[in-house]
Amino acid sequence: WGPAWVVWRHSPGWVGWGPLPPHAHWRTGAGLTISNRELDATLEPDSYSFVDERQLTSGQLDRHIARAERNATLLRDTENVTHYTAVDSRVVNHGIDVDRFEHDMAQKVKRHRIVDSDGARGDQVKGDQVFVFRPNVEDKPPTRTPSTQPASAAKTERQIERERRRAETEQSQRQADVDKQKRKEQNKVEEQRRLEQKKLEKQRLKEQQRIEEQRRLEQKRQKKQQRKSEKPPGGTNARL
């Protein structure tokens, strides 16, 4: 993988990435203008691509990307490891550490060097070299003094804040919807349990009534048998 303006996610066995939102900026001395927590609240599950960690260096990575239906589960199972820093005045994304990857996966990651290319050759890869055309940008003084617009900068800050609040609101709404669905499921289970208990109680009462009826009939039969056994032989008109 190469340097990319993305969010990285990782768990043992899985690696995921998604594009940084438009309001994510890099500020010299301050770093990235958005936290990992805000990134989690901003990006939707379908913004990510996930792949088995062992396939991260595959030359046909697109064949190993997990189905989008699994993203929500993989998003919960992975951790945001996005980590941007500055090295020699260059922005570097240390989200997926190469040395750790090589150690965990027991495989060597091939390194490439970026080499300047002339415009005619275009972008090419030869061996461990990647030829990339870089135009020669002359450092000329401006023809006029650029105007400073602090109001525009403040407007940008307000836009970023609105985006952050909107993301938090949407996240809260999604969580509220999840909680509502959970309560609905719990109420459904509780109602089913109540109906089942009522059914069992009705069956128990019916069984008690049946046993009581049998007992009553048995007592009646025993009394009848007792009266019959106490009756004198030959009836009441027998003479001695």
Side-chain angles (χ1 to χ4, degrees), residues 12-235:
W14 286 97
V15 173
W17 62 91
L20 282 171
H23 59 274
H25 303 284
W26 175 266
R27 290 183 180 174
T28 303
L32 202 62
T33 59
I34 186 171
S35 68
N36 286 2
R37 183 177 180 181
E38 290 175 305
L39 290 172
D40 291 341
T42 301
L43 269 68
E44 297 293 339
D46 58 5
S47 299
Y48 289 93
S49 296
F50 288 94
V51 69
D52 187 311
E53 191 172 14
R54 295 168 298 181
Q55 304 297 336
L56 185 59
T57 56
S58 171
Q60 297 176 325
L61 188 62
D62 58 319
R63 296 186 178 183
H64 303 285
I65 292 177
R67 297 191 308 274
E69 306 90 83
R70 301 186 60 187
N71 280 15
T73 300
L74 291 170
L75 198 61
R76 291 193 301 268
D77 294 342
T78 54
E79 178 185 3
N80 190 331
V81 293
T82 307
H83 176 53
Y84 283 88
T85 185
V87 178
D88 296 332
S89 301
R90 295 183 178 182
V91 180
V92 179
N93 187 343
H94 286 303
I96 304 297
D97 183 72
V98 179
D99 294 332
R100 183 202 59 76
F101 177 85
E102 290 181 330
H103 177 269
D104 293 349
M105 295 294 103
Q107 58 176 279
K108 191 70 175 177
V109 177
K110 186 177 180 180
R111 268 74 163 177
H112 291 77
R113 294 186 301 108
I114 298 178
V115 180
D116 288 341
S117 166
D118 56 30
R121 181 182 307 188
D123 297 344
Q124 295 181 359
V125 178
K126 290 185 177 181
D128 64 344
Q129 295 182 333
V130 179
F131 292 88
V132 179
F133 174 68
R134 178 169 55 180
N136 183 24
V137 180
E138 297 181 5
D139 187 12
K140 294 183 178 180
T143 56
R144 59 188 179 88
T145 303
S147 60
T148 57
Q149 297 180 348
S152 298
K155 181 179 180 181
T156 302
E157 291 294 334
R158 289 196 298 270
Q159 290 175 342
I160 294 174
E161 180 63 18
R162 282 198 298 269
E163 286 289 331
R164 185 185 67 80
R165 291 181 179 178
R166 181 186 63 80
E168 290 180 350
T169 301
E170 290 179 354
Q171 178 69 10
S172 299
Q173 183 59 47
R174 286 195 296 270
Q175 186 61 45
D177 293 340
V178 171
D179 293 341
K180 182 179 180 180
Q181 184 63 28
K182 285 183 179 179
R183 288 194 299 269
K184 186 177 180 180
E185 290 294 330
Q186 290 174 350
N187 292 338
K188 182 179 179 180
V189 172
E190 182 64 24
E191 179 64 15
Q192 289 177 343
R193 187 184 65 83
R194 188 184 64 81
L195 292 174
E196 185 65 22
Q197 286 182 341
K198 186 176 180 179
K199 181 180 178 181
L200 291 174
E201 181 65 22
K202 185 176 180 180
Q203 291 176 346
R204 186 183 64 82
L205 181 61
K206 186 176 181 180
E207 181 64 18
Q208 287 179 344
Q209 290 174 345
R210 186 186 65 80
I211 293 174
E212 181 65 24
E213 179 65 16
Q214 287 181 343
R215 187 183 64 82
R216 187 181 64 79
L217 291 174
E218 180 63 21
Q219 288 178 345
K220 185 177 181 180
R221 187 189 65 80
Q222 289 178 356
K223 288 181 179 180
K224 184 177 181 180
Q225 186 67 27
Q226 183 179 4
R227 288 195 299 269
K228 185 176 180 181
S229 62
E230 292 176 352
K231 186 176 181 181

